Amino acid sequence: MEHLIGQLKALAEPTRLRVATLLALGELTVSELVQVLGQSQPRVSRHLKLLTDAGLVERQPEGAFVFYRLVSAGPGQRIANVIGDLTPPDDPVLKRDLDRLATVKAARAAAAESYFQRANEDWNRIRALHLSEDEVEAAMRDAAGSGPFQLMIDVGVGTGRILEVFADRVTESVGIDVNHAMLNVARLNLERAGLTGASVRKADVSALPFDDGVADLVTVHQVLHYLDDPAVAIAECARVLKPGGVLLIADFAPHQLEFLKTDHAHRKLGFSDEEMTEWVENSGLEMRRRSALHPEEPENRLTVKIWSARRTPVRASQPPVSARDLTA
């Protein structure tokens, strides 16, 4: 009861209620809230701290940036879920806030789209080397199974497309990436798609910001070939899976297109079934399914491989290998 009273007290101040209402519409930084509210940075930061201390707001560091959002779990979740519905839509102050928010989000979208246009040229060159994305996505959905999945983690979220692909089977999804500009592209796309249960955050696959055994589905789409040590990434993905959880990997079969290393920063020229199975099993998972999507003209083209593995019950005598064990 005392905790609930504290949360209600935190909201019983006009500016903090405005902040909570804005965050109900998506993640925002301090500087973006300053632009919307027309208040100083120290004052806005103070309001955010009080809302965070009350368990209504959480902060997500992203390099030099920090994004704030309403909590998605814990004692404050139920109140956070209804804040947007309780505030009067015809309030003149809130209407002004929403107009300013639209301007702020338009500027963010313009920056994201500018980055995406620059990066998209490289992606289109690579896409032309293999089957269409529609075929790859359909095969991924088939390999994952029908679910439903409570929590999905997408490693290397990119544009956010894989979160959209599985949205109808997932209650909550989180995409992680190390690229701040790419995260903003994903935010924009998820917002446009109306995926309120999806969010993104900055993190590295070698140290996922999640507890052990929390995810029902982990997807790794065209990420491993950029990594120096894919085995460590697979072990970390395995760590966060629940018993029965699914790890879904889409990447390339072994190939000889050396220009992908020199021109596109690929560290690995594809993966064999044997090495992928070894990494998966060393991480305490069971390889359940392997499939290959061959291009119509195989010469100088890429075959996309899809591997599906599942977390099996852990035996006391043989605990799963962790990412830390592999790097020791």
Side-chain angles (χ1 to χ4, degrees):
M1 182 68 74
E2 184 176 342
H3 196 66
L4 173 60
I5 292 172
Q7 291 172 343
L8 295 174
K9 284 182 177 179
L11 291 171
E13 194 280 335
T15 298
R16 288 198 287 278
L17 184 57
R18 290 165 64 192
V19 169
T21 302
L22 292 168
L23 294 181
L25 300 173
E27 303 174 319
L28 293 168
T29 65
V30 173
S31 61
E32 289 172 335
L33 284 166
V34 166
Q35 295 178 60
V36 173
L37 298 171
Q39 299 183 11
S40 68
Q41 185 271 328
R43 185 173 181 183
V44 172
S45 295
R46 172 64 177 165
H47 287 306
L48 286 168
K49 183 179 186 306
L50 291 171
L51 289 169
T52 302
D53 290 345
L56 294 170
V57 167
E58 57 189 5
R59 63 194 305 274
Q60 294 293 338
E62 193 168 295
F65 300 85
V66 177
F67 281 84
Y68 289 85
R69 64 185 182 191
L70 296 182
V71 296
S72 56
Q77 182 182 8
R78 293 180 64 184
I79 294 180
N81 287 345
V82 299
I83 287 174
D85 297 328
L86 294 178
T87 49
D90 57 347
D91 182 89
V93 175
L94 289 178
K95 288 179 67 175
R96 184 184 62 195
D97 286 349
L98 295 178
D99 289 341
R100 291 177 177 175
L101 178 63
T103 301
V104 166
K105 287 194 171 186
R108 185 199 287 180
E113 289 180 338
S114 175
Y115 173 83
F116 178 75
Q117 290 301 323
R118 295 194 302 271
N120 199 40
E121 293 180 10
D122 281 345
W123 295 338
N124 283 337
R125 294 191 191 102
I126 296 174
R127 289 190 191 103
L129 298 174
H130 60 78
L131 292 178
S132 73
E133 291 296 332
D134 288 344
E135 292 176 90
V136 175
E137 291 166 3
M140 289 181 68
R141 283 173 59 87
D142 183 54
S146 59
F149 305 103
Q150 178 65 32
L151 174 63
M152 168 187 175
I153 299 171
D154 183 39
V155 172
V157 67
T159 65
R161 175 58 188 167
I162 299 302
L163 296 182
E164 294 185 52
V165 167
F166 285 94
D168 63 332
R169 302 181 184 180
V170 173
T171 301
E172 179 186 358
S173 58
V174 182
I176 68 110
D177 208 300
V178 295
N179 187 315
H180 171 71
M182 202 72 251
L183 288 170
N184 276 338
V185 171
R187 283 191 182 94
L188 174 63
N189 289 335
L190 295 175
E191 183 176 322
R192 286 175 172 172
L195 300 185
T196 57
S199 63
V200 299
R201 60 196 297 185
K202 186 172 185 178
D204 190 279
V205 65
S206 63
L208 295 175
F210 304 98
D211 293 334
D212 295 354
V214 295
D216 303 278
L217 174 65
V218 176
T219 52
V220 190
H221 175 250
Q222 302 293 5
V223 172
L224 294 183
H225 58 250
Y226 289 109
L227 305 181
D228 288 323
D229 197 341
V232 171
I234 290 173
E236 184 67 355
C237 291
R239 177 186 66 80
V240 302
L241 275 178
K242 293 178 180 178
V246 175
L247 172 62
L248 187 64
I249 300 170
D251 219 296
F252 299 127
H255 61 85
Q256 301 300 320
L257 302 184
E258 291 282 347
F259 78 92
L260 292 178
K261 273 192 172 184
T262 57
D263 298 348
H264 298 278
H266 288 206
R267 306 292 292 178
K268 309 291 182 182
L269 295 181
F271 305 97
S272 68
D273 284 339
E274 291 74 19
E275 64 185 335
M276 191 66 71
T277 299
E278 179 181 358
W279 292 335
V280 162
E281 292 181 350
N282 285 346
S283 299
L285 305 183
E286 176 189 0
M287 184 68 80
R288 301 293 297 272
R289 182 170 175 177
R290 296 178 286 265
S291 59
L293 304 177
H294 300 285
E296 294 181 1
E297 301 175 2
E299 187 176 358
N300 294 325
R301 292 292 187 270
L302 295 167
T303 293
V304 175
K305 295 283 295 185
I306 297 175
W307 296 273
S308 176
R310 189 177 297 272
R311 160 68 71 194
T312 54
V314 178
R315 293 179 294 175
S317 60
Q318 189 177 1
V321 177
S322 70
R324 289 179 287 277
D325 294 332
L326 289 172
T327 56

